[in-house]
Each structure stands twice: as C-alpha cells, then as structure tokens.
Amino acid sequence: MEKIRFQICEKELTLYPAQGENRPLIVFNTVMGDGEELAQALRAMDAPDCNLLVVGKLQWYHDMTPWSCPPLSKRGPAATGGADAYLETLASEIVPAARKKIRGSAPYVGIAGYSLAGLFALYAMYRCDCFAWVASMSGSLWFPKFREYVLRHELMRQPEMLYMSLGDAEAKMKHAVLKTVQENTEAIVRHYQEVGVDVRWELNPGNHFRDVAMRSAKGIKAILEA
C-alpha cells in the first residue's frame, strides 16, 4: 500500500494517495498508528477512491479538545483545550501541504475522526470553513458543555453531508459524565436535522472500543458516497 510520510509542526503525517487524479482529500486524526488498518478497511469495503491523510503524534487531550476539562478519573489526563490552535495549523499548513502531494487537485476536503477526534470534527464546523464533508464516529459528545455549545452557535460552514455514529453500549457506563454520550449525541443529531444539515445517524453494536477501524471506514465511505 502506497504511503507518503512527512512532518509538519511535529505532527506525523501519512498520506495514502488515491489511485486516480482529482479525488477528494479526507483528513483523519488518530490517537495512535499511521492509519494503515483504516486504509485497508476502506479498500475492503470498496469505498470510493480518495486521498486519505492520517495525522498522528497529536497531543490528544490538547489538540482535540475545544476547552479545558478536569480529568474524568484520578489517573486520567485533563483536557487542555488546544483545538483552536491545532485547527489553525491543520487548515493553514497541513492541508495545503497534503494538496501538493496528491495526484491532480482535490475537489473537496473532508474531515473524520473517532472518539475525541470525532468531537474535534464537529467543533471544526464552527471554527473554519474548509471541510465540506464531516464524519464523527463514536464522538466524545459527553464532553462538558459541548451539547450546549452546539445548540447556541451557528456553523461557519454547513457540511454537504454529515455522518455520525455511536456504539449501542457506550451509554451503559456508571460514570456520570460518560453515560451522557448517547443522550447528547441524539440531541445534537436532532439539532442538525432541524437546521437543515444532511445528517446520517447510526448505532453500531458494541462499546467504544469495538471495531474502531471498521466503524471509521463506514463513516468515511458514507461521506464519500454522498
């Protein structure tokens, strides 16, 4: 599988170039690895040809979070709210550099993410206008005050298509914050439907950690086929 590796601002970038020219560019932020399992899953699903840019070596609880949040457990990390700064780097440096490495030119750029990166993908719609298609898989929409943020703010750019998914066991948690994830996600989906966003919503079997690559590939395939 062809890979193009490069670095920008200490982020490790892996581009899986499309086989054809002038294909979409999809940005996928990842907590670990270079996204090869995801690229293979997309191929196995016969997803439309695309340029897949996987961004790694992220400061996960900083780059992916819109504002600060205390640790959810005694040993857990605190969120430090660096999403705006990372989004500026992504839009102004990383995406333009990736565009120069693909075959032809990308007709549009999409963004996709799982867990906190799914939260970040939604937040990006309010802070920049560079992503035409968005996929949020098992997004961490339990994140404090994010539901309220969505309901009170206008999108900077309404996506052509938005895909959202969750595992059907993710809300079956004892943790008071984490167990709000499905309630919050469904409320956010309803809000997007009410404001005219073309949103596809689906529940998958399992908890947060089941079939991550497959679920991520399903979401990316859905926006590519829109």
Side-chain angles (χ1 to χ4, degrees), residues 22-225:
N22 306 322
R23 302 303 304 155
L25 173 64
I26 304 297
V27 177
F28 185 83
N29 293 294
T30 186
V31 65
M32 65 178 65
D34 66 0
E36 183 170 341
E37 187 178 1
L38 171 60
Q40 291 175 341
L42 285 167
R43 182 173 294 182
M45 290 181 182
D46 291 324
D49 192 23
C50 74
N51 298 284
L52 177 65
L53 176 67
V54 178
V55 185
K57 204 175 181 180
L58 293 162
Q59 298 178 58
W60 193 243
Y61 289 90
H62 182 72
D63 295 334
M64 297 290 100
T65 56
W67 45 79
S68 298
C69 170
L72 297 181
S73 65
K74 292 182 179 180
R75 298 181 180 179
T80 50
D84 285 328
Y86 170 63
L87 185 57
E88 171 63 25
T89 299
L90 182 62
S92 65
E93 298 186 50
I94 294 175
V95 169
R99 281 183 174 275
K100 293 178 180 178
K101 298 180 184 295
I102 66 176
R103 299 180 178 100
S105 60
Y108 68 81
V109 181
I111 187 168
Y114 196 97
S115 194
L116 280 176
L119 172 79
F120 176 82
L122 295 188
Y123 182 67
M125 299 191 298
Y126 296 87
R127 307 298 291 173
C128 76
D129 62 358
C130 57
F131 301 114
W133 273 257
V134 179
S136 172
M137 288 70 67
S138 288
S140 299
L141 306 188
W142 50 261
F143 198 82
K145 300 183 180 179
F146 189 74
R147 174 178 171 178
E148 292 80 1
Y149 179 90
V150 167
L151 298 180
R152 294 175 183 173
H153 290 78
E154 293 186 4
L155 298 166
M156 185 171 287
R157 175 180 183 175
Q158 184 163 306
E160 297 295 324
M161 194 268 192
L162 169 63
Y163 173 93
M164 295 174 64
S165 70
L166 197 67
D168 61 10
E170 293 195 52
K172 297 175 182 178
M173 302 280 289
K174 294 182 179 179
H175 195 287
V177 175
L178 294 176
K179 72 179 183 180
T180 66
V181 66
Q182 186 167 337
E183 176 187 344
N184 287 354
T185 301
E186 291 177 343
I188 289 170
V189 168
R190 288 194 300 270
H191 169 73
Y192 287 143
Q193 291 170 337
E194 290 169 0
V195 299
V197 175
D198 180 8
V199 55
R200 176 179 169 186
W201 156 241
E202 113 178 287
L203 276 174
N204 293 298
N207 63 22
H208 187 70
F209 303 100
R210 179 173 169 182
D211 301 326
V212 173
M214 182 274 289
R215 289 187 195 174
S216 298
K218 282 177 67 177
I220 293 173
K221 182 181 179 183
I223 60 174
L224 288 170
E225 291 178 339

